[in-house]
Amino acid sequence: MNSKQNRISLICQIIENDTVRSQNDLIEKLGQHGINLTQASLSRYLKEIKASRIPDGFGGYIYKLPPNTTRQTSVLSNEVISVEFVSSNMVVLKTLSGYANAVSAQIDSKSLTPIAGTISGDDTILIIIRDGYSRTQVKEYLISEFQYIKNKFINE
């Protein structure tokens, strides 16, 4: 998957999981994930994924994807290399180079109760676990949301 697919995947995730009212709003949200785009590039991507602005019922508009859009996030299943508990409250997830931001965005978008947050680099994600959750519970939460990591756990 090239970086264009990575950006499109993240754009789809943000539109599906957040309220996006404008292209500037979307550019800002992408920036929070380390993706910097020009408005022209974003416009092309939105056209490619057939995103449209629809009335939000309150006098404004929000971006939505067509109902039959194939989610780009499933493409990331081959990009995760391993998942490893490194302490009672930290998990390290390794990805192919350049994919950590997109995978981290997937994890953050789910707002899983045991996960306090993620920090991502180029190919590594640090997942911080809240106190009171066992490794087994965290593993079950992660697998229930991201089936593709089921066989990626090491040292478990």
Side-chain angles (χ1 to χ4, degrees), residues 37-93:
L37 287 180
T38 64
Q39 185 274 330
S41 293
L42 179 59
S43 242
R44 284 191 300 275
Y45 293 152
L46 291 171
K47 185 176 182 177
E48 186 174 327
I49 62 175
K50 297 180 173 74
S52 58
R53 289 181 69 199
I54 62 168
D56 66 0
F58 301 102
Y61 291 87
I62 56 173
Y63 277 95
K64 287 290 182 188
L65 296 174
N68 295 331
T69 299
T70 304
R71 292 192 62 187
Q72 296 281 334
T73 56
S74 62
V75 175
L76 294 174
S77 63
N78 294 325
E79 314 315 330
V80 174
I81 297 168
S82 66
V83 183
E84 178 181 12
F85 284 90
V86 294
S87 74
S88 61
N89 67 337
M90 288 188 222
V91 178
V92 171
L93 194 145

Side-chain angles (χ1 to χ4, degrees), residues 116-135:
T118 62
I119 301 169
S120 62
D122 180 61
D123 64 355
T124 305
I125 301 166
L126 175 63
I127 302 172
I128 316 279
I129 306 301
R130 290 190 168 93
D131 284 340
Y133 290 92
S134 70
R135 287 181 178 201

Side-chain angles (χ1 to χ4, degrees), residues 1-153:
M1 181 163 76
N2 65 32
S3 58
K4 176 185 174 184
Q5 290 170 317
N6 192 8
R7 290 188 295 267
I8 288 174
S9 174
L10 186 55
I11 290 167
C12 289
Q13 278 186 280
I14 291 171
I15 290 173
E16 288 177 343
N17 298 310
D18 292 338
T19 300
V20 179
R21 299 192 176 283
S22 67
Q23 288 186 8
N24 285 338
D25 189 22
L26 186 52
I27 287 171
E28 183 178 308
K29 290 174 191 287
L30 288 165
Q32 293 170 358
H33 293 285
I35 305 292
N36 296 314
L37 287 180
T38 64
Q39 185 274 330
S41 293
L42 179 59
S43 242
R44 284 191 300 275
Y45 293 152
L46 291 171
K47 185 176 182 177
E48 186 174 327
I49 62 175
K50 297 180 173 74
S52 58
R53 289 181 69 199
I54 62 168
D56 66 0
F58 301 102
Y61 291 87
I62 56 173
Y63 277 95
K64 287 290 182 188
L65 296 174
N68 295 331
T69 299
T70 304
R71 292 192 62 187
Q72 296 281 334
T73 56
S74 62
V75 175
L76 294 174
S77 63
N78 294 325
E79 314 315 330
V80 174
I81 297 168
S82 66
V83 183
E84 178 181 12
F85 284 90
V86 294
S87 74
S88 61
N89 67 337
M90 288 188 222
V91 178
V92 171
L93 194 145
K94 297 294 250 174
T95 70
L96 294 177
S97 183
Y99 293 96
N101 275 330
V103 175
S104 185
Q106 278 187 351
I107 294 167
D108 290 340
S109 73
K110 297 295 183 179
S111 300
L112 299 176
T113 305
I115 296 177
T118 62
I119 301 169
S120 62
D122 180 61
D123 64 355
T124 305
I125 301 166
L126 175 63
I127 302 172
I128 316 279
I129 306 301
R130 290 190 168 93
D131 284 340
Y133 290 92
S134 70
R135 287 181 178 201
T136 303
Q137 288 172 310
V138 172
K139 185 176 178 180
E140 287 172 0
Y141 267 94
L142 288 170
I143 291 171
S144 73
E145 292 294 331
F146 310 104
Q147 289 290 318
Y148 62 84
I149 67 168
K150 184 176 184 174
N151 298 320
K152 308 284 180 157
F153 285 86

